[in-house]
């Protein structure tokens, strides 16, 4: 089954969904951009869960392209799925790792039983992935990944990102 893809221009922390995807850094301990916003709005429960993950399975941090879930804290969601995108132009800045962020997040969503998942434009902020290429990878990957998720919502902060994703949806 393939999820229905919708686009929303807005703040991902204001979305109501089963799972909200966080463009996390490998430490899982919060940061800037989407990561910082999710941690701030979601409150301390998210950070507590992330610290537990670091103390157990992810002592060295979450590898690029992988995904894990925590509580969503005060967000209007059941879970936050954290994924670490690649840095464009840096060693390991492989487009396959960006695609893996979307596939792995959908895999985790399926394990959780999530039916609605809200994604940001992973790696397009401080990780400098060109927006048009990131949109192409995101849409192609979601379209080609079998999932029980019914709706994938790309939540895009500005017109430039929204338009790039809209072009990919045709």
């Amino acid at each position: 089954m393939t999820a229905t893809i919708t686009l929303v221009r807005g703040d991902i922390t204001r979305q109501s969904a089963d799972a909200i995807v966080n463009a996390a850094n490998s430490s899982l301990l919060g940061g800037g951009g989407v990561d910082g916003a999710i941690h701030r709005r979601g409150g301390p429960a998210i950070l507590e869960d992330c610290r537990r993950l670091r103390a157990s399975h992810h002592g060295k941090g979450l590898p690029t392209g992988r995904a894990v879930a925590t509580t969503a804290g005060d967000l209007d969601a059941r879970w936050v799925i954290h994924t670490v995108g690649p840095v464009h132009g840096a060693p390991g800045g492989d487009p396959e790792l960006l695609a893996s962020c979307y596939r792995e997040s959908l895999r985790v969503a399926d394990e959780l039983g999530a039916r609605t998942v809200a994604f940001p434009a992973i790696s397009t902020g401080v990780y400098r992935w060109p927006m048009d290429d990131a949109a192409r990878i995101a849409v192609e990957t979601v379209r080609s990944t079998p999932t029980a998720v019914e709706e994938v919502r790309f939540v895009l902060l500005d017109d430039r990102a929204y338009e790039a994703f809209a072009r990919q949806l045709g």
Side-chain angles (χ1 to χ4, degrees):
M1 185 166 120
T2 305
T4 299
I5 299 173
T6 59
L7 302 181
V8 174
R9 189 186 175 303
D11 178 349
I12 197 165
T13 68
R14 300 282 187 191
Q15 293 297 303
S16 176
D18 291 333
I20 292 174
V21 176
N22 179 20
N25 65 49
S26 64
S27 77
L28 295 175
L29 301 179
V34 169
D35 193 19
I38 284 173
H39 276 269
R40 281 189 301 279
R41 174 96 11 98
I46 297 172
L47 183 58
E48 288 171 23
D49 264 10
C50 287
R51 284 190 174 131
R52 278 193 285 278
L53 287 169
R54 286 296 305 266
S56 60
H57 300 90
H58 298 288
K60 294 181 180 174
L62 184 65
T64 301
R66 299 286 306 275
V68 295
T70 65
T71 181
D74 296 329
L75 297 170
D76 190 8
R78 294 178 66 188
W79 304 283
V80 171
I81 298 172
H82 306 265
T83 190
V84 180
V87 176
H88 187 263
D94 182 346
E96 177 52 34
L97 285 174
L98 183 54
S100 180
C101 291
Y102 292 96
R103 274 194 308 275
E104 284 289 300
S105 294
L106 289 171
R107 179 189 60 76
V108 170
D110 283 342
E111 288 176 1
L112 296 168
R115 295 291 172 253
T116 55
V117 178
F119 279 98
I122 298 167
S123 285
T124 61
V126 297
Y127 287 5
R128 303 181 313 277
W129 208 279
M131 187 61 72
D132 286 331
D133 193 45
R136 178 188 60 77
I137 292 167
V139 170
E140 286 177 2
T141 303
V142 168
R143 281 182 169 157
S144 66
T145 302
T147 181
V149 171
E150 294 166 5
E151 180 196 4
V152 167
R153 188 179 316 145
F154 289 110
V155 183
L156 306 155
L157 195 55
D158 59 31
D159 290 336
R160 183 178 69 91
Y162 186 93
E163 289 162 10
F165 276 73
R167 282 191 296 276
Q168 293 303 315
L169 287 177

